[in-house]
């Protein structure tokens, strides 16, 4: 296998409308020949429609405007030519079947119901096989002119819907996925490149932990030397954190002097996490969103400044608030990003080093409520005892793994972001995007070591807590793996 990454995308099947395993660019629609609801459509049994054979050599098509209930008597059903669901295919509650096929296309509706407790033995299991990467299907109107190609061993939803009816619709929106591998449970042996990237690297001996700066201004007393930049007023309390006000320019904002930070913990060419929870206040556009959300201007920046031993001062842009954050006056929002220092930036002979918030319209008060600088923690990586390939969902639903940073998860598109939400005793991942943005295909992604994926092993993903959705018929979730 080439040195490559496998990425897993978590989202809703009923909103994926790609006709190829590596693309999601075409907008399939519901078929003209299907009703708005299958509730009144005559129900046929699979055995009546297709016979009782457990092996079919050709493509099996669930006809448009027909509803078929699976009732085949047998533990396994083999469809060598694939399955094209143009109408509706229903797996009733309690029905057990292993369906083996080359590919599945859903132009209509696929529905499965399960009311029993979740275990590691699913009632219905799809096993995809075959090496043919030139598989095609017949898109019906109004999608007749769309791409007909699908990838090998794929489940393609082309304008259709997959409903997995299990836990209640209002189940809280956090994600926990358990993955299991057949055999000894440890999976293949990862190659050296994957091991270097995906294995936790502990902090340096000089550092007490992976956390370098952790600040929440508890009791109104900062743990580190925080101030407002020269020329602005600032105060600190336990409710709003550090507030910088009476700002005169874009350059005024909260800043921290790193003089009391153990700079031995900062080394070049290592990945660090920075997170900050921030709010805007004052008379800044009153109840409207700041310019960052309205026009993309005056967006908040996080800058790292330092002075070299020769006296040359440097100020470097490290991240920026994006317009789609839709920041609103008075509301908290989170900046979470990765940073890698250069050798010059963390030279122990530098005169000083600091982080500063910059770029916000001067009429706004800036409230910094939390700030952290850390190395990625062990909790966000596979357990060293179990092995790199034993757990391919590394955070395993633990939204507290990296504080306010969503690592190892990230957004599947550039117009949304994954944030960590604290809701009472629960902490979960949430996809956020602009209030006016209509793109509905954002998903939760994470990378897995490609060398941990082996054709001889069986991988199972069991979602046991679900994503709450509000998009009508979309009530299910899916996991799709892509290799490149």
């Amino acid at each position: 296998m080439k040195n490559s990454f496998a990425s897993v995308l978590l989202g809703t099947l009923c909103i994926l409308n790609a006709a190829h395993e590596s693309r999601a660019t075409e907008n399939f629609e519901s078929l003209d020949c299907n009703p708005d609801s299958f509730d009144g459509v005559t129900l046929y049994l699979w055995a009546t429609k297709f016979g009782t054979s457990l092996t079919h050599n050709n493509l099996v098509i669930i006809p448009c405007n027909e509803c078929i209930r699976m009732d085949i008597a047998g533990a396994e059903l083999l469809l060598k030519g694939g399955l094209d669901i143009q109408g509706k295919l229903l797996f009733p509650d309690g029905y057990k079947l292993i369906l083996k096929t080359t590919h599945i296309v859903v132009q209509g509706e696929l529905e499965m119901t399960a009311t029993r407790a979740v275990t590691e033995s699913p009632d219905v299991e799809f096993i995809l096989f075959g090496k043919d990467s030139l598989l095609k299907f017949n898109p019906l109107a109004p999608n007749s002119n769309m791409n007909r190609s699908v990838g090998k061993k794929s489940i393609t939803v082309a304008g259709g819907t997959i409903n997995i009816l299990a836990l209640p619709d209002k189940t809280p929106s956090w994600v926990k996925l358990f993955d299991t591998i057949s055999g000894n449970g440890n999976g293949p042996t990862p190659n050296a490149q994957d091991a270097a990237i995906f294995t936790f690297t502990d902090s340096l001996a000089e550092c007490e932990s992976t956390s370098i700066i952790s600040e929440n201004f508890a009791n109104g007393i900062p743990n580190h030397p925080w101030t407002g930049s020269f020329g602005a007023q600032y105060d600190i309390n336990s409710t709003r954190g550090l507030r910088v006000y009476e700002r005169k320019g874009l350059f005024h904002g909260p800043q921290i002097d790193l003089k009391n930070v153990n700079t031995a913990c900062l080394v070049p060419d290592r990945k660090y996490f920075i997170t900050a929870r921030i709010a805007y206040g004052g008379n800044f556009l009153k109840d409207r969103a700041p310019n960052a959300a309205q026009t993309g201007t005056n967006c908040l920046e996080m800058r790292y400044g330092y002075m070299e031993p020769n006296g040359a001062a440097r100020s470097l842009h490290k991240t920026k608030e994006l317009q789609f954050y839709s920041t609103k006056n008075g509301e908290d929002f989170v900046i979470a990003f990765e940073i890698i220092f250069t050798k010059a930036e963390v030279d122990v002979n530098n005169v000083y080093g600091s982080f500063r918030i910059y770029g916000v319209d001067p009429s706004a008060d800036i409230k910094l409520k939390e700030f952290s600088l850390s190395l990625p923690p062990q909790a966000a990586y596979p357990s060293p005892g179990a092995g790199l390939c034993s757990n391919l969902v590394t955070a395993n639903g633990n939204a507290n793994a990296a504080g306010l940073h969503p690592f190892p998860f990230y957004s599947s598109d550039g117009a949304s972001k994954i944030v960590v939400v604290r809701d009472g005793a629960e902490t979960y991942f949430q996809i956020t995007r602009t209030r006016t943005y209509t793109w509905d295909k954002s998903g939760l992604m994470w990378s897995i070591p490609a060398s941990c994926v082996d054709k001889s092993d069986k991988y199972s993903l069991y979602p046991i807590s679900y994503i709450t959705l509000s998009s009508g018929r979309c009530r299910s979730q899916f996991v799709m793996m892509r290799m490149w």
Side-chain angles (χ1 to χ4, degrees):
M1 181 180 293
K2 296 181 180 179
N3 289 328
S4 60
F5 293 103
S7 184
V8 181
L9 169 63
L10 179 69
T12 56
L13 266 176
C14 49
I15 61 174
L16 173 67
N17 47 29
H20 189 277
E21 62 180 351
S22 61
R23 296 186 301 186
T25 57
E26 298 183 286
N27 295 316
F28 284 89
E29 300 177 24
S30 299
L31 298 185
D32 292 341
C33 55
N34 278 333
D36 292 336
S37 172
F38 283 90
D39 291 345
V41 175
T42 302
L43 182 68
Y44 298 95
L45 299 179
W46 177 283
T48 301
K49 189 74 176 180
F50 302 109
T52 58
S53 174
L54 297 179
T55 300
H56 293 259
N57 295 319
N58 299 318
L59 175 69
V60 174
I61 297 176
I62 306 298
C64 201
N65 198 32
E66 290 189 15
C67 184
I68 307 294
R69 187 177 72 186
M70 185 62 73
D71 72 329
I72 194 75
E76 294 187 4
L77 176 63
L78 177 61
L79 307 180
K80 295 181 179 180
L83 175 64
D84 186 355
I85 304 172
Q86 299 174 1
K88 179 174 181 176
L89 178 61
L90 171 65
F91 288 80
D93 190 13
Y95 181 78
K96 298 180 183 294
L97 180 71
I98 296 175
L99 192 156
K100 297 181 178 180
T101 187
T102 55
H103 66 291
I104 298 173
V105 177
V106 183
Q107 300 189 70
E109 186 171 333
L110 171 61
E111 181 174 307
M112 292 175 281
T113 301
T115 58
R116 68 171 178 81
V118 177
T119 69
E120 293 188 1
S121 300
D123 286 351
V124 177
E125 186 173 359
F126 292 163
I127 297 178
L128 302 172
F129 65 89
K131 298 181 179 180
D132 189 354
S133 60
L134 299 177
L135 295 170
K136 295 182 180 293
F137 75 105
N138 180 33
L140 303 184
N143 306 315
S144 304
N145 63 335
M146 304 299 272
N147 193 314
R148 300 164 181 260
S149 300
V150 296
K152 63 181 179 181
K153 296 186 286 188
S154 62
I155 298 177
T156 301
V157 181
T161 301
I162 291 185
N163 286 330
I164 303 175
L165 307 180
L167 298 182
D169 290 345
K170 294 184 179 180
T171 298
S173 55
W174 66 86
V175 177
K176 288 185 179 179
L177 297 173
F178 289 127
D179 59 334
T180 60
I181 306 174
S182 62
N184 62 10
N186 293 328
T189 300
N191 61 34
Q193 182 186 26
D194 283 345
I197 295 173
F198 291 95
T199 300
F200 170 71
T201 302
D202 204 352
S203 56
L204 301 176
E206 297 86 349
C207 305
E208 296 179 358
S209 70
T210 56
S211 178
I212 300 168
I213 300 174
S214 180
E215 184 68 77
N216 62 4
F217 304 100
N219 301 317
I221 302 174
N223 296 320
H224 303 281
W226 287 94
T227 63
S229 47
F230 296 138
Q233 299 295 322
Y234 75 94
D235 57 25
I236 299 174
N237 67 37
S238 58
T239 301
R240 63 172 176 254
L242 168 64
R243 178 181 66 131
V244 179
Y245 60 102
E246 293 185 13
R247 300 171 52 245
K248 304 298 192 298
L250 302 178
F251 47 84
H252 277 153
Q255 67 178 28
I256 181 175
D257 188 340
L258 300 183
K259 64 182 178 181
N260 290 340
V261 173
N262 187 354
T263 54
C265 297
L266 304 180
V267 296
D269 303 322
R270 283 198 65 175
K271 177 164 60 180
Y272 292 84
F273 292 159
I274 290 182
T275 64
R277 186 163 63 93
I278 305 164
Y280 297 134
N283 295 319
F284 187 31
L285 296 181
K286 300 263 177 162
D287 294 326
R288 295 172 53 208
N291 287 348
Q294 294 291 321
T295 65
T297 61
N298 295 137
C299 297
L300 177 149
E301 297 181 23
M302 186 72 70
R303 291 196 173 189
Y304 176 69
Y306 67 99
M307 180 176 285
E308 297 176 345
N310 62 9
R314 309 292 183 189
S315 179
L316 306 172
H317 161 84
K318 290 301 183 182
T319 194
K320 187 176 184 178
E321 174 194 7
L322 300 178
Q323 186 174 357
F324 70 78
Y325 286 14
S326 293
T327 309
K328 194 172 183 180
N329 195 29
E331 291 183 351
D332 290 2
F333 66 100
V334 173
I335 295 269
F337 61 100
E338 299 176 5
I339 182 175
I340 294 178
F341 294 102
T342 65
K343 185 176 180 180
E345 291 170 4
V346 292
D347 188 333
V348 295
N349 296 313
N350 283 345
V351 178
Y352 66 81
S354 69
F355 283 103
R356 177 161 58 101
I357 291 177
Y358 174 95
V360 180
D361 189 288
S363 62
D365 295 349
I366 303 175
K367 303 173 185 178
L368 177 63
K369 300 185 177 184
E370 291 183 58
F371 181 92
S372 72
L373 169 65
S374 67
L375 290 161
Q378 169 65 76
Y381 287 87
S383 168
L388 179 62
C389 294
S390 66
N391 186 351
L392 302 183
V393 189
T394 52
N396 208 13
N398 179 14
N400 289 308
L404 287 175
H405 199 290
F407 182 84
F409 300 109
Y410 55 97
S411 173
S412 62
D413 68 87
S416 63
K417 65 172 182 171
I418 308 299
V419 296
V420 174
V421 177
R422 297 168 180 163
D423 184 7
E426 299 292 348
T427 304
Y428 52 87
F429 301 108
Q430 179 174 290
I431 302 171
T432 65
R433 53 185 179 266
T434 174
R435 294 174 173 83
T436 59
Y437 192 62
T438 59
W439 177 262
D440 61 355
K441 301 167 184 64
S442 303
L444 194 70
M445 298 185 73
W446 68 97
S447 296
I448 64 174
S451 57
C452 288
V453 180
D454 189 279
K455 65 180 181 181
S456 62
D457 277 317
K458 173 184 173 182
Y459 300 81
S460 301
L461 284 157
Y462 299 109
I464 63 172
S465 292
Y466 294 78
I467 295 178
T468 297
L469 302 171
S470 58
S471 51
R473 298 172 68 188
C474 302
R475 291 194 281 178
S476 61
Q477 66 292 319
F478 81 102
V479 175
M480 181 177 70
M481 184 175 291
R482 296 176 179 170
M483 299 291 295
W484 60 86

